[in-house]
Amino acid sequence: MEEGGSRVRRRVSVRKRSRPSLECVFVTAGQAGERKDEGQVVAASRRRRTGGLRQAEVQPRQPRQPPGPAGDFTLKLEFPYVFLFSFQHNDSEEDMFGDYDSFTENSFLAQVDDMEEKYMQLPEHKKHATNIASTDLCSESVQNKLSIAPVSTFTDLKTDKHTKNQSGHEDVTIEPGADLLYDVPSSQVLYFENLQNSSSDLGDQSTKESDQNSSYQKTVNEELPHNLIEQPQQNDESLSNVRTSSDVNRRQSVKDHLKSAMTGNAKAQTPVFSRSKHLKETLLSEEINVAKKTIESSSHDLGPFYSLPSKVRDLYFQFKGIEKLYEWQHTCLTLNSVQERKNLIYSLPTSGGKTLVAEIIMLQELLCRQKDVLMILPYVAIVQEKISGLSNFGIELGFFVEEYAGSKGRFPPTKRRQKKSLYIATIEKGHSLVNSLIETGRISSLGLVVVDELHMIGEGSRGAILEMTLAKILYTSKTTQIIGMSATLNNVEDLQEFLQAEYYSSQFRPVELKEYLKINDTIYEVDSKAENGMTFSRLLNYKYSDSLKKMDPDHLVALVTEVIPKYSCLVFCPTKKNCENVAEMICRFLSKEYLKHREKEKHEVLKDLKNMSSGNLCPVLRHTIPFGVAYHHSGLTSDERKILEEAYSTGILCLFTCTSTLAAGVNLPARRVILRAPYVAKEFLKRNRYKQMIGRAGRAGIDTVGESILILQEKDKQQVLELITGPLENCYSHLVQEFTKGIHTLFLSLIGLKIATSLGDIYQFMNGTFFGVQQKILLKEKSLWEITVESLSYLTDKGLLQKDTVSKSEEEVQCNFHITKLGRASFKGKRTIDLAYCNILYRDLKKGLEGLVLESLFHLIYLTTPYDLVSQCEPNWMIYFWQFGQLSPAEQNVAGLLGVSESFIGKKASGQAIKKKVDKDIVNRLYLSFVLYTLLKETNIWSVSEKFKLPRGYVQNLLTGAASFSSCVLHFCEELEEFWVYRALLVELTKKLTYCVKAELVSLMEVTGVLEGRARQLYNAGYRSLTHLANADPEVLIGTIDHLSRRQAKQIVSSAKMLLQEKAEALQEEVEELLRVPSDFPGAVAPCTEKA
């Protein structure tokens, strides 16, 4: 091929027909040049910033002798290829190309048809309208020679304004979604790719370009498929008349061959591609490239949807029904700090739409910058809810969504070949994940960290762990962006200084919130302008009988019946027991009319609860659910909570009596929120918690207003007025207060990960923490330097660190530290273990080796029972004595090794005095081991909770804690050779504790949101594996599985698909790693050098 290649035009001949079929051939424009005097009608398309592509023109064909019929339009695209489309009548009743998008009224071809119709209506054109045949175009086009180009680059997308061409005709604008190449059936794509090799010899016949100064040339941009690149166009008219009969026959045969082949391909099913999937994926990839270039150039000219492909906008509408962003969301997403990837803190009231902004920024990082993202959420339930919500996006857009909560999560995370990962983690798992990324040198792969409920940085040990996580990221990776969001922040300046972040806030709420206070039977509206902070609103108008007044002195029945069953209502109660009592009391005084509201569906909820719990049903729920009322607290099992939340979300249940944890948990808004008292347990309510609770009032898109009513007694009036008018509480670091879970753990990990190993470096790191920012406020007696030195001395004395003294000069001595084997085991095993228990765990494991009983799992279960739950345990001694008698002799030997005898428990059960001292913690821990051992044997939480007289929710939490601690002990043992025997044993035990079900249900329960009851339903319906679920049809699932909503079915299928993709990708990476030649292979470099 001559230098510079050949320019090629694409032509489209269109005429009005009832049912078209498509045929396509490639021609070079070197033989098909149009005469310069041809009149132009249209020149329009989309222009891209790279500006590398040629012109697109639509013009009336000026026929050669004799003049041809009017109304025949040709679209000329100076591209590497020429596509020749002719539309003919299709005799078949079946549309060959099904739902072919280009034939819609918004498409470009439709616009060309409309223009053609206008021409045909002219008197001088009407007589020719029926004489147009596709053979005209073919006979003219066979003069052109075939030229196929290889795959090349994409270009940026940009829409140009309307212009007029030089011949004076007005342009026709091609809409952004109406590209001729956008939805070509995949059979054609495959055919064109196969044609490239066979036609390469014809491409060599292209001739040099001769029309560079053509009067109608204009640069345009158009979306191209993967197999298109630019080539200079040849337009030598003199050569168009020089051809042999063999050339004509050859091209005619090619045309005929294309016609027949494509007709067959269009009817046949292609196993590789769907009709339009290939080109839609091409468009998506191209838009991602556009967004990448936009971000890299730091331009304010955003992509189709905030630098993201337009498909993201469509997915938000499809999956979440979101058509348009709120004004504050648009403002936040277009902030300079967001565009320049600076750290950001933003604060809005609850239900303001904070999470959507974070999701869009996360998608920008995953798709455009090709970096991994970590999202930290406060609770396991919220993690699972977010996993279910984003799995669909991951499948459609090509990234992984990985769960790091409870016992789930891989350390270090799998290193992906191409696709990026969105890690969704709890606070504890997020910290472990960051540690593993630093240890493996992969922290730079983490492009973004998003923290929800950032105010939790000031809440106890969990706040200390969150602070450590963020401080390590700031210290080790300068390219990782941090975004924090919260509804309740006050001392933002301290957080800004710590995170080196900018701040954005708004008071926007999609639904207006009105706050009320109730004293006796009078309701006051909270009014900041009033002298005492409130104004009179109304008196309660509800007839109370004497019995009702005694049972309901706070007038709860009157308040809830104003709302339910038409609207929903939440009643926050101080304690779990109070939740159950209030639910029963309200139902006792509701009229029978409430039973008729969605009666059949409520019956189905009861049936579902019973099936999920192996035939068991809480008597309180049996009584309250027919009225549309239920309680919600941690005493419920996960299965029960999931069913009740779904019923509330769909309006089957209209009233929840709940504890304050619901306010920070899953999103369950209501028309009215009632606070039973200004207390959480015995502690007076804090403003942060109060704002979270009332923030649940008002459902966006459903309610026009939300109401909150705080019930108080006269004695609490002054405190409540301070509560509603005062500022939010400040966040203060707990890094030093929580010694063993805070600063000690931090120092151990800093040295273990080699982030900072000298005294000076550790002190410098501490100055950059949230505690370092607040040290002047928090430290009164000791300085930060003194606390640093004391903490390092403590860890050294415990045998976790070893001190090395290095003399830099005669006067200067530097103290370095390195981690010991025990310290490394503690640090590696740091999931839920407190360093205070590190030496105790080592001692227990060492002692266990002296007489490890493997007749059953009882001994191993004792060793993996969490230490931090022991203090909360109060054994029932009669049950303890009876359970002890059920043990086998070998299992009783385990108790004997621990120093707990049957006589001791018998005396405690009978109330006798005991002279011999026995370690209380060991006794209580053994009792919890009995609960876990019984649960593993019976796998039924209900029967175990009844047997031990414990709440079923407590039993389930104990099981979850044991599974997590077992994983921690496993990592601990892996670092110490002396505990090699525990490694294989604990792997299996951890799995049993994690799922606590029959083996056949384990694979189904790996899917997010599938718990034991649902797994059993799926298994019985024939869905026996992860592959079955991933390939399931949600509509079929709804019909097969009882009480499964459409939303739940879609979430289960999408989560299963995501998990299956992750596993397949991991296996593929493992295969590639095995087949890859090692970089240190002898002689591996030499051949490359010789070849070069």
Side-chain angles (χ1 to χ4, degrees), residues 602-740:
K602 287 184 286 194
H603 176 72
E604 291 295 319
V605 171
L606 285 170
K607 186 179 175 183
D608 202 7
L609 284 169
K610 200 169 183 179
N611 290 339
M612 287 288 189
S613 305
S614 303
N616 297 285
L617 182 62
C618 171
V620 176
L621 293 176
R622 183 187 286 113
H623 175 225
T624 62
I625 285 178
F627 289 93
V629 179
Y631 66 87
H632 186 289
H633 58 60
S634 61
L636 295 167
T637 65
S638 300
D639 280 320
E640 289 174 308
R641 280 201 300 271
K642 204 165 189 66
I643 293 169
L644 294 176
E645 287 165 6
E646 184 66 25
Y648 179 87
S649 297
T650 54
I652 298 171
L653 300 179
C654 53
L655 174 63
F656 264 173
T657 58
C658 50
T659 53
S660 61
T661 51
L662 183 69
V666 292
N667 187 25
L668 294 174
R671 173 64 174 266
R672 176 175 289 179
V673 169
I674 301 170
L675 279 69
R676 172 82 172 73
Y679 292 91
V680 175
K682 295 181 180 179
E683 183 182 354
F684 195 80
L685 193 62
K686 292 183 178 179
R687 182 164 175 78
N688 287 357
R689 183 68 65 88
Y690 169 72
K691 295 295 284 185
Q692 276 191 324
M693 292 160 79
I694 67 171
R696 294 297 182 195
R699 297 169 297 172
I702 301 174
D703 299 326
T704 55
V705 68
E707 302 170 340
S708 71
I709 301 174
L710 172 57
I711 300 171
L712 64 145
Q713 306 301 320
E714 196 68 46
K715 64 182 180 68
D716 295 322
K717 183 177 178 180
Q718 190 56 42
Q719 271 186 293
V720 168
L721 290 176
E722 292 174 6
L723 170 73
I724 61 173
T725 57
L728 295 166
E729 290 83 10
N730 289 336
C731 286
Y732 293 111
S733 171
H734 282 71
L735 193 60
V736 173
Q737 284 178 273
E738 302 287 336
F739 277 105
T740 54

Side-chain angles (χ1 to χ4, degrees), residues 371-404:
K371 293 280 189 177
D372 295 330
V373 173
L374 169 61
M375 187 178 199
I376 298 176
L377 301 170
Y379 303 109
V380 174
I382 306 178
V383 168
Q384 292 176 341
E385 184 182 43
K386 188 60 64 179
I387 289 277
S388 298
L390 290 177
S391 289
N392 278 322
F393 287 85
I395 293 166
E396 294 290 336
L397 298 171
F399 61 87
F400 292 111
V401 182
E402 300 185 40
E403 180 180 352
Y404 281 78

Side-chain angles (χ1 to χ4, degrees), residues 343 345 374 376 427 430-431 434 438 443 448-454 456-457 463-477 480-484 495 498-500 746 765 768-770:
N343 294 347
I345 300 170
L374 169 61
I376 298 176
I427 291 172
H431 180 230
V434 168
I438 294 172
I443 189 64
L448 173 67
V449 175
V450 174
V451 181
D452 196 9
E453 309 295 352
L454 183 60
M456 290 192 72
I457 200 170
I465 294 170
L466 181 57
E467 181 180 346
M468 287 189 284
T469 305
L470 296 175
K472 287 175 185 175
I473 293 168
L474 288 166
Y475 194 84
T476 58
S477 177
T480 303
Q481 184 184 14
I482 297 175
I483 290 181
L495 285 167
F498 165 47
L499 296 177
Q500 302 154 35
L746 173 62
F765 182 96
T769 61
F770 189 40

Side-chain angles (χ1 to χ4, degrees), residues 883-1036:
Q883 286 292 331
F884 198 98
Q886 303 299 309
L887 297 177
S888 68
E891 290 168 344
Q892 288 188 1
N893 287 339
V894 175
L897 288 169
L898 298 172
V900 181
S901 63
E902 188 174 10
S903 60
F904 168 81
I905 297 173
K907 288 179 180 179
K908 290 290 287 183
S910 60
Q912 298 179 32
I914 301 170
K915 296 180 181 179
K916 183 182 178 182
K917 286 188 177 181
V918 178
D919 191 326
K920 182 182 176 182
D921 288 340
I922 293 177
V923 173
N924 290 357
R925 193 177 183 212
L926 187 65
Y927 183 72
L928 293 179
S929 301
F930 279 15
V931 178
L932 289 168
Y933 184 47
T934 307
L935 187 57
L936 281 187
K937 287 193 295 184
E938 299 184 12
T939 68
N940 188 322
I941 290 175
W942 278 82
S943 64
V944 173
S945 65
E946 289 174 7
K947 192 172 290 184
F948 287 88
K949 308 298 182 188
L950 293 169
R952 56 194 182 279
Y954 176 84
V955 174
Q956 191 171 59
N957 290 337
L958 172 63
L959 180 65
T960 304
S964 187
F965 187 70
S966 177
S967 173
C968 169
V969 175
L970 173 60
H971 287 283
F972 185 89
C973 293
E974 285 175 344
E975 292 299 316
L976 297 172
E977 293 180 8
E978 57 195 297
F979 295 142
W980 64 269
V981 70
Y982 288 115
R983 295 173 196 169
L985 298 170
L986 289 176
V987 168
E988 191 60 31
L989 177 62
T990 303
K991 196 171 184 180
K992 286 180 178 292
L993 290 169
T994 300
Y995 299 107
C996 193
V997 291
K998 293 178 180 178
E1000 60 265 21
L1001 300 181
V1002 170
S1003 62
L1004 296 177
M1005 289 183 66
E1006 290 178 357
V1007 178
T1008 301
V1010 176
L1011 302 174
E1012 182 184 354
R1014 185 70 75 199
R1016 195 180 297 110
Q1017 279 185 315
L1018 291 166
Y1019 187 85
N1020 292 336
Y1023 297 95
R1024 306 294 173 89
S1025 68
L1026 182 63
T1027 310
H1028 286 166
L1029 277 185
N1031 289 283
D1033 182 348
E1035 297 301 325
V1036 175

Side-chain angles (χ1 to χ4, degrees), residues 814-829:
Q814 180 175 323
C815 293
N816 288 339
F817 296 86
H818 72 265
I819 197 164
T820 63
K821 285 187 177 181
L822 179 60
R824 182 165 294 280
S826 304
F827 154 67
K828 293 287 283 189

